Amino acid sequence: MGKYTGIDVLIGSHLSLNAVQTRLTPRLGSFVSVIEEELEFAMKEEFPALNRDEWSEVNHNLVILRIVSRITARVFFGSQLCRNTDWLELNINTVEEIFATAVILRHLPPLLHPFLYVCIPSYWKLRQCTKRIHQYLIPLINDRRQAEAVGESYQKPEDVLQWMMDLAKGKEREPEDLTNRYIFTIIGSMHTVTSAVVDSMYDLAGRPEYVTPLREELELALDEDGVWERGTPAKLQKMDSFMKEVQRHNPPSAVGFKRIVREPITLSNGLTLPKDTYIAVSANTHLQDDGAPIEFDGYRYLTKRLESGNPNAHQYASTDSNHIHFGHGRYACPGRFLASHEIKMILARILSGYDLKLPGIQGRPRNLTILEFGFKDPGGRVMIKRRSI
């Protein structure tokens, strides 16, 4: 299926993973101020008309997605594309067409894929999106290489694209290949961060008892640091716990460790998995069974962290055998630390500047499930207004 969506470009190479894991994550602290700057600009662009006296119903699914798209572009390319509205919409549309194409193909027998993929409208839209992304990024890559070749004083940008260029080998160095790898690197980041922020907004609106404690924690952290610094996100322990509990109740996917069997495998119990079998591990059932409380407790993981005596345990970005939404071990998502920072900072900005509530008596908007993937209800809304301080 990957050859129809283009994601097969990632097979056999870990370039994107290595760039994020070895270059971005160690420098993540230096990106806090960068994210904060872009977030402030994005909030003014996306929430320009809200006032303190009237509640406004906001399509926050789209608004948060645009904010995340801006931040993603800033981290990947610096300031060159993050405020280009055509580029931002192009990224959003590309991710949507990838998901649409993959979902449709998953509902069709694999034997028919080579014949029916050309009949899928989203496949052709995806090809157009990919072509336009190439028109943006290939000249950018070539310009950077030319500038590096002719100028000894040239300073390389500190962004993910540059690190991918530096680490690329062989065919990976081709601008077309680098561009395609970028496309399939942002899929998870944009969807994961947007969904987490939207779910957290729902639960903040529906559980107002958490708003004041989270605001107080945020104000204390910013009073200590003055501004957002590299260590500020780590001080938001209550928010981190709240985010992880929201994720427990609203998993991004029902399964993890998804794999396709390349050759027949016989397990220790005698069960044989035929070639091309799609296998996965339940990602959330064990967190909602009789051994795990069903009720929502936003401080659940903060309590666990304090009881463990390990300040790095039970964090939102932590993985273990019971929390595999980001994978685990050597296959854990390298971008989860960036995602955690982005989610915290977006929620912090919303909490500090706005009040939230659910409209009418509809309650928390339901989440949708397509195959094993969780999606937000496109008709879901929250009411928002500027906070009176």
Side-chain angles (χ1 to χ4, degrees):
M1 188 171 66
K3 63 183 177 181
Y4 306 116
T5 61
I7 200 170
D8 59 347
V9 71
L10 303 180
I11 296 176
S13 170
H14 301 293
L15 176 61
S16 304
L17 183 150
N18 290 338
V20 173
Q21 189 172 55
T22 66
R23 300 296 179 89
L24 175 60
T25 299
R27 295 172 172 82
L28 193 54
S30 64
F31 274 84
V32 169
S33 60
V34 173
I35 295 172
E36 195 271 340
E37 178 184 310
E38 196 58 37
L39 177 58
E40 281 299 310
F41 178 85
M43 293 296 291
K44 292 176 182 177
E45 290 290 305
E46 301 299 341
F47 293 124
L50 299 179
N51 58 54
R52 293 181 174 83
D53 301 319
E54 298 182 3
W55 289 95
S56 299
E57 188 172 281
V58 175
N59 181 358
H60 55 288
N61 291 286
L62 181 58
V63 168
I64 298 302
L65 182 57
R66 287 200 296 254
I67 291 174
V68 172
S69 180
R70 290 177 184 275
I71 295 174
T72 300
R74 182 68 181 267
V75 172
F76 269 81
F77 310 112
S79 58
Q80 289 179 278
L81 291 174
C82 61
R83 298 179 185 180
N84 182 318
T85 55
D86 180 65
W87 170 258
L88 299 174
E89 292 298 325
L90 178 58
N91 274 255
I92 293 171
N93 293 337
T94 301
V95 172
E96 290 177 350
E97 302 307 339
I98 290 171
F99 273 112
T101 303
V103 167
I104 293 172
L105 287 171
R106 283 278 300 277
H107 281 92
L108 299 173
L111 288 175
L112 297 181
H113 289 179
F115 308 102
L116 296 182
Y117 77 93
V118 293
C119 301
I120 302 174
S122 59
Y123 166 79
W124 295 104
K125 293 178 182 178
L126 175 57
R127 289 193 60 175
Q128 289 299 314
C129 288
T130 302
K131 180 180 178 180
R132 291 181 58 208
I133 288 180
H134 279 218
Q135 291 171 350
Y136 272 104
L137 292 191
I138 290 177
L140 177 59
I141 293 169
N142 288 332
D143 287 346
R144 288 191 179 189
R145 284 186 171 154
Q146 183 178 6
E148 182 181 1
V150 301
E152 293 183 0
S153 61
Y154 174 70
Q155 291 187 338
K156 293 182 181 180
E158 286 280 301
D159 56 41
V160 178
L161 175 64
Q162 185 62 51
W163 296 325
M164 289 175 64
M165 292 171 60
D166 292 342
L167 294 171
K169 298 179 181 179
K171 187 176 184 299
E172 297 171 345
R173 290 181 50 81
E174 297 176 6
E176 294 82 358
D177 191 88
L178 284 167
T179 299
N180 290 335
R181 290 178 188 280
Y182 159 76
I183 294 171
F184 294 98
T185 300
I186 66 168
I187 297 175
S189 62
M190 289 181 59
H191 177 70
T192 298
V193 174
T194 300
S195 295
V197 173
V198 169
D199 277 324
S200 296
M201 289 177 67
Y202 286 154
D203 284 315
L204 286 170
R207 306 175 191 275
E209 66 272 19
Y210 288 100
V211 171
T212 297
L214 293 183
R215 280 176 174 164
E216 291 175 345
E217 179 185 58
L218 172 63
E219 290 167 1
L220 178 61
L222 291 179
D223 284 345
E224 291 177 352
D225 294 343
V227 294
W228 280 94
E229 295 182 344
R230 63 177 61 239
T232 307
K235 295 180 179 180
L236 305 181
Q237 296 186 8
K238 290 180 180 178
M239 183 179 292
D240 188 278
S241 177
F242 182 86
M243 289 160 44
K244 198 173 184 75
E245 180 72 350
V246 169
Q247 186 188 64
R248 185 175 81 94
H249 284 262
N250 304 277
S253 176
V255 296
F257 290 114
K258 291 171 276 190
R259 300 290 187 271
I260 295 177
V261 177
R262 303 294 296 272
E263 58 185 45
I265 300 175
T266 300
L267 305 181
S268 59
N269 63 358
L271 176 66
T272 297
L273 303 177
K275 182 179 181 293
D276 295 328
T277 300
Y278 185 81
I279 60 175
V281 177
S282 172
N284 215 57
T285 303
H286 58 290
L287 296 177
Q288 298 286 12
D289 62 18
D290 292 339
I294 299 300
E295 70 272 8
F296 187 98
D297 178 3
Y299 305 134
R300 181 184 310 280
Y301 293 101
L302 176 58
T303 301
K304 287 178 176 288
R305 189 195 301 196
L306 296 175
E307 290 176 347
S308 72
N310 181 356
N312 296 318
H314 304 290
Q315 295 187 39
Y316 180 79
S318 301
T319 70
D320 55 45
S321 58
N322 290 319
H323 299 85
I324 60 173
H325 297 304
F326 290 115
H328 186 44
R330 63 181 294 190
Y331 297 109
C333 171
R336 65 191 186 279
F337 302 103
L338 173 63
S340 177
H341 274 44
E342 290 181 357
I343 297 164
K344 284 180 184 176
M345 295 178 72
I346 294 172
L347 290 177
R349 184 62 184 83
I350 292 172
L351 277 171
S352 64
Y354 302 91
D355 291 320
L356 303 171
K357 72 175 183 178
L358 296 174
I361 58 173
Q362 72 175 35
R364 189 192 197 283
R366 62 194 177 98
N367 288 336
L368 310 177
T369 301
I370 303 176
L371 298 174
E372 73 270 24
F373 304 109
F375 293 92
K376 305 306 113 183
D377 182 352
R381 297 289 187 274
V382 292
M383 305 294 289
I384 187 169
K385 70 174 182 178
R386 290 192 183 275
R387 181 183 172 199
S388 298
I389 303 176

